[in-house]
Structure formats: C-alpha cells, structure tokens
Amino acid sequence: MTAIRAMERHLMTGDPPPAPAERFDDVFDAHFAEIHRYAAKRLGPDAASDVAAQTFLEAFRQRRRYDPARGSVRTWLYGIATKVVGRHQRAETRALRARARLGPGRDAEGHADRTDERVSAEGLRGELAGAIAALPRGQRDVLLLVALADLSHEEVAAALGISYGTVGSRLSRARTKLRKALGGTNPMLTLEEQHG
C-alpha cells in the first residue's frame, strides 16, 4: 500500500497514519514536477529548480501544520510555491516587463509547444506581459494560479488562505485591468493570435 493510500485510509477509517517521512517521499514524487513547471511558467526555467526545491524544503519543515480539512496536499504546495515565487517577485516583474519590450514571438514551433507556452510566462509577450507585471501581487497570484496551475477557485482560496469570494473579486479585477491595458481585447485571443 502506498503512503498516500495509507493516509487516505487513515483519514477515512482511523487506521494508524503512515510515518511522516514515508508520506513526504510520496508527496515529493507525486508533485515535484508539477510545482517545478508552475515555477518555470512564473519565473522562467533558470529560477524554477530553486523555487521548487525551496517549496519542498518549506513544506517538509511545515509538514506537521498541513491540515487536510483546508485542502489537498497539491493545493497546500501551490500555496507555499506562490509564497516562494512572491519572494522572487522582483525577478518575475522584471522578466514580464522584459517580455513586454520584446513584443510578440514568431517562433515556428509545434502545436503542443504553442499550446503549452500560451499561458506561460515564457510565452507572454508585449502588452500582455506588461499588463500582468503591473497587477498588484494578490491579483497576479490568483490569475496565474488559475491560468498556469489550472486550480479551481476553491483550490486557489485554500492555497492562498483567502476566501472564495476574494478569489473571484481578485480574478475579476485582474481580467478587467488586463482588458483595459490591451485596449478592450480578450487577453487569451491576443495570446492565440500571437502563436496562431
């Protein structure tokens, strides 16, 4: 029985929980690549390994504070990763502003690559990158957790420790600001046009 299944069984039946170190190994194996991809999309590939490693180091140190009633382990990790990214916020903002100065990319890539890059910081160009960089941190975090990590509103709320309503209002404000910065156009259409 895997440690994750043992933990689920413990939560459902009251059986003894698996040893914390055993559980953490499985958590690391199950989620490291996903957290690394999220960090790469937010800050680029150079910082992704450091952010992912720092996320898991902090998660290991805080493992006894994890509360399954507040959300899944995945959601908890995204919350930690977002805080670590926040410490790298200056680098993220500089990278987004640099991409804004570069203008639209014209790479001849495959469809899968274009689709993956469509919502990543690496693929952001021009006005959209500048508009995202200009968002307040709370709005940017919510927007990018939805766009890059594909988290639901409930998961974003749990990850950031904010209410469901706050997620909705921050996301709405971020989208409104992006549309205004892009002259009233839909940011996703702009991304698709850039890569289409």
Side-chain angles (χ1 to χ4, degrees), residues 16 18 21 33 44 57 64-65 72-74 77 81 101 103 107 120-121 141 143 145 149 152 157 165 184 187-188 196:
L57 177 63
R64 287 180 177 62
R65 287 202 235 151
S72 69
V73 170
R74 177 179 177 260
L77 290 170
R101 289 187 300 271
D107 298 335
S120 73
D141 287 344
L143 176 75
L145 280 169
S152 69
M188 290 313 293

Side-chain angles (χ1 to χ4, degrees), residues 2-190:
T2 69
I4 290 175
R5 287 191 190 262
M7 188 61 180
E8 289 170 351
R9 185 178 178 130
H10 161 69
L11 294 172
M12 292 172 48
T13 65
D15 287 354
E22 182 181 326
R23 282 192 320 237
F24 196 80
D25 289 349
D26 282 348
V27 166
F28 181 88
D29 292 343
H31 300 287
F32 182 83
E34 183 177 4
I35 296 298
H36 187 275
R37 277 191 304 275
Y38 171 68
K41 289 174 182 179
R42 291 276 314 248
L43 298 172
D46 295 339
S49 295
D50 289 342
V51 169
Q54 185 65 37
T55 297
F56 280 90
L57 177 63
E58 289 185 25
F60 183 77
R61 288 177 179 160
Q62 299 173 21
R63 67 191 179 281
R64 287 180 177 62
R65 287 202 235 151
Y66 167 67
D67 180 5
R70 291 193 60 210
S72 69
V73 170
R74 177 179 177 260
T75 301
W76 177 63
L77 290 170
Y78 272 111
I80 294 170
T82 299
K83 288 176 186 169
V84 173
V85 166
R87 290 186 217 127
H88 289 81
Q89 183 180 6
R90 280 199 200 132
E92 179 184 40
T93 302
R94 280 193 307 267
L96 286 167
R97 287 186 178 141
R99 288 183 189 102
R101 289 187 300 271
L102 290 175
R106 301 281 184 229
D107 298 335
E109 302 169 356
H111 175 70
D113 292 334
R114 287 193 309 268
T115 301
D116 188 41
E117 281 194 354
R118 183 176 70 207
V119 292
S120 73
E122 287 297 303
L124 297 177
R125 299 282 190 252
E127 295 175 45
L128 180 57
I132 292 172
L135 291 173
R137 179 176 171 198
Q139 291 176 16
R140 181 174 42 225
D141 287 344
V142 167
L143 176 75
L144 295 177
L145 280 169
V146 169
L148 301 180
D150 199 27
L151 296 185
S152 69
H153 286 72
E154 293 89 1
E155 291 173 317
V156 172
L160 298 179
I162 58 178
S163 73
Y164 180 90
T166 301
V167 171
S169 64
R170 286 182 183 178
L171 188 57
S172 177
R173 286 184 191 124
R175 287 176 175 162
T176 299
K177 288 177 182 177
L178 291 179
R179 275 190 208 101
K180 184 178 179 183
L182 297 173
T185 61
N186 181 334
M188 290 313 293
L189 291 178
T190 301

